[in-house]
Amino acid sequence: MIFANLDKLPPDPILGVTAAFRADPSRDKIDLGVGVYRDEDGNTPVPAGVREAERTMLADQRTKTYIGPHGNLEFNERIVELALGPVASEVRERTATIQTVGGCGALRSGAELIHASSPGAVVHVSDPTWANHEPLLGTSGLSLARYPYYDPATRGVAFERMLDHFGRLPSGSVVLLHACCHNPTGADMDASQWRAVADVFDARGLVPFVDLAYQGFGDDLETDVVGLRLLATRVPQLLLAMSCSKNFGLYRERTGALAIVAQDANAAAAIATHEARTARRMYSMPPDHGAAIVARLLGNARLRADWESEVRAMVRRMKWLRALLADRLSARRPEVDFSWVTRHRGMFSLVGLERESIVALRSEHHVYVPPDGRINIAGISDGNVDRVADAIVAVLD
Ligand code: LMR
């Protein structure tokens, strides 16, 4: 019996919240779990520009023959340009990009490639980090470690401790950085802190592995990648995992890319062959649909402008929701400092609750959050913000 030794696993820390939420018969339940954007009606829309790009792409499509392990090459080019901006042309000759199965596929492919060439490399992830980072990267066989990132007292980045830690890592260490909208804390570095990080990485020969899953969701499409672009000009090698799930609303289309900036063009050419082999051995080729949509959208000035304004509207809404929540929490507990709610960037904030409080949020208030106490700001609305604030203050202490 080949599967006789498999026991039932506990639920996934994030996807399990969605399943539990769906199973709850309460009419007042609130889902602040999985990281999907929601509009005022609680829907996760496909941006109009994305829908139009999809329509015209399908109308023009004449074949569904294979595209190859690297996926849609136009998509690869354009998504790297979106992330790196003017830096993309500076590093183009020494960059090897592969379309991946979402941002998760990019992280895992990157880890597989690091493991194939440097099996002893250690990947350092922030403490805390997204619940799926360690499983995704660690299953490649690489060793993992954590670096200090978050200071619960200030609810900001534990910057001095982090920098000091980086300053003591051995050369060749790989460090996973969240480009923006840190998941789960919501605490991001500012431009001057990114400069200090780039100095240390450069001086110590550390390799950044940048996870860019929320471009445009922090402040805007340019500001959110200031640190990434700086690093790409400062270090000889960089891995970049990109996701089109959130900003293009393409979640289920699993659209992403891995770009590896190498030390020179020869190294990039070799890496490209390994990228293709890694894909071929795991899933052969990525699905085309989402990438073809993004390539078309980014290549069309009107669609791109429409989409950019939709991203701006999404981030405006999330900032407004943050202000609304901070206001309602402060009204209930004026003596508590809730300014972190508006200081944080992106979809998430760590509320900083004990395990029992997180359980009580669900069992007593029907408010669903992952076990680390992260809330998805986009799950809040005008209609439920008072219930969310009531629930949070009820379990605060
Ligand atoms: C999240 O953090 O909730 C999202 O990135 C969705 C996921 O796959 O966990």
Side-chain angles (χ1 to χ4, degrees):
M1 299 295 275
I2 56 171
F3 298 122
N5 295 329
L6 295 186
D7 292 327
K8 198 171 168 209
L9 293 170
D12 178 87
I14 294 174
L15 304 182
V17 177
T18 309
F21 175 80
R22 286 187 182 142
D24 182 347
S26 164
R27 291 163 61 92
D28 294 327
K29 59 187 179 177
I30 299 172
D31 183 5
L32 304 184
V34 69
V36 297
Y37 176 79
R38 291 206 174 86
D39 64 16
E40 187 53 36
D41 302 319
N43 296 322
T44 300
V46 184
V50 171
R51 270 190 288 129
E52 189 177 338
E54 181 173 40
R55 223 174 10 252
T56 60
M57 183 274 287
L58 281 175
D60 294 346
Q61 197 172 58
R62 292 287 169 270
T63 180
K64 287 194 185 283
T65 189
Y66 294 124
I67 45 169
H70 279 102
N72 185 312
L73 302 185
E74 186 189 342
F75 164 78
N76 291 350
E77 179 89 15
R78 294 193 189 281
I79 201 70
V80 171
E81 271 170 18
L82 181 70
L84 294 184
V87 180
S89 55
E90 284 173 40
V91 297
R92 177 171 290 116
E93 294 302 310
R94 54 188 185 91
T95 302
T97 307
I98 185 165
Q99 185 198 323
T100 54
V101 183
C104 289
L107 289 162
R108 180 54 181 272
S109 301
E112 293 288 337
L113 288 165
I114 297 167
H115 187 254
S117 75
S118 305
V122 178
V123 182
H124 301 258
V125 302
S126 65
D127 185 16
T129 197
W130 175 47
N132 205 27
H133 270 150
E134 286 170 316
L136 263 177
L137 301 169
T139 314
S140 67
L142 286 170
S143 301
L144 302 177
R146 286 189 165 208
Y147 61 86
Y149 182 79
Y150 185 64
D151 180 352
T154 63
R155 295 181 186 260
V157 180
F159 186 67
E160 297 305 328
R161 274 198 294 136
M162 178 178 76
L163 209 61
D164 181 61
H165 191 90
F166 289 161
R168 285 182 282 111
L169 291 180
S171 165
S173 299
V174 180
V175 181
L176 188 84
L177 296 163
H178 302 221
C180 58
C181 309
H182 186 270
N183 182 1
T185 67
D188 278 354
M189 284 188 272
D190 62 27
S192 76
Q193 291 174 324
W194 276 107
R195 277 196 292 279
V197 166
D199 287 343
V200 176
F201 274 51
D202 187 15
R204 294 207 59 82
L206 307 181
V207 182
F209 191 164
V210 182
D211 187 359
L212 177 58
Y214 295 91
Q215 187 178 0
F217 269 31
D219 284 305
D220 56 65
L221 288 163
E222 301 293 309
T223 310
D224 290 356
V225 282
V226 159
L228 163 68
R229 290 179 183 175
L230 177 69
L231 276 169
T233 61
R234 294 287 305 276
V235 297
Q237 293 184 310
L238 175 145
L239 293 93
L240 170 61
M242 290 162 280
S243 166
C244 301
S245 295
K246 328 283 171 164
N247 50 7
F248 289 93
L250 283 169
Y251 306 85
R252 66 175 63 167
E253 302 298 352
R254 310 309 302 139
T255 308
L258 170 73
I260 300 185
V261 181
Q263 63 276 27
D264 57 41
N266 280 341
I271 289 167
T273 64
H274 285 267
E275 285 175 341
R277 190 174 73 171
T278 304
R280 183 77 172 138
R281 287 177 172 180
M282 290 200 289
Y283 54 84
S284 189
M285 300 171 206
D288 180 60
H289 191 80
I293 295 169
V294 172
R296 183 165 282 242
L297 183 150
L298 291 177
N300 177 304
R302 184 180 57 79
L303 292 179
R304 185 176 178 141
D306 286 354
W307 167 74
E308 286 182 2
S309 84
E310 285 186 75
V311 175
R312 281 196 293 275
M314 289 195 266
V315 78
R316 261 201 310 276
R317 175 172 162 73
M318 287 185 283
K319 287 190 176 187
W320 176 77
L321 288 171
R322 284 186 176 280
L324 191 67
L325 178 64
D327 180 65
R328 300 301 161 90
L329 289 169
S330 304
R332 283 159 177 78
R333 294 287 296 273
E335 76 286 6
V336 179
D337 176 13
F338 290 111
S339 60
W340 52 272
V341 181
T342 48
R343 261 200 325 274
H344 287 166
R345 287 282 168 275
M347 279 213 277
F348 307 120
S349 274
L350 264 195
V351 179
L353 299 172
E354 299 299 327
R355 193 157 292 274
E356 312 81 68
S357 304
I358 294 161
V359 171
L361 269 185
R362 184 184 294 195
S363 58
E364 290 167 29
H365 304 275
H366 303 278
V367 174
Y368 285 75
V369 303
D372 58 4
R374 181 191 85 175
I375 54 169
N376 175 13
I377 294 292
I380 299 170
S381 68
D382 224 0
N384 70 21
V385 65
D386 282 306
R387 286 201 45 237
V388 171
D390 283 341
I392 291 176
V393 300
V395 301
L396 257 187
D397 29 41

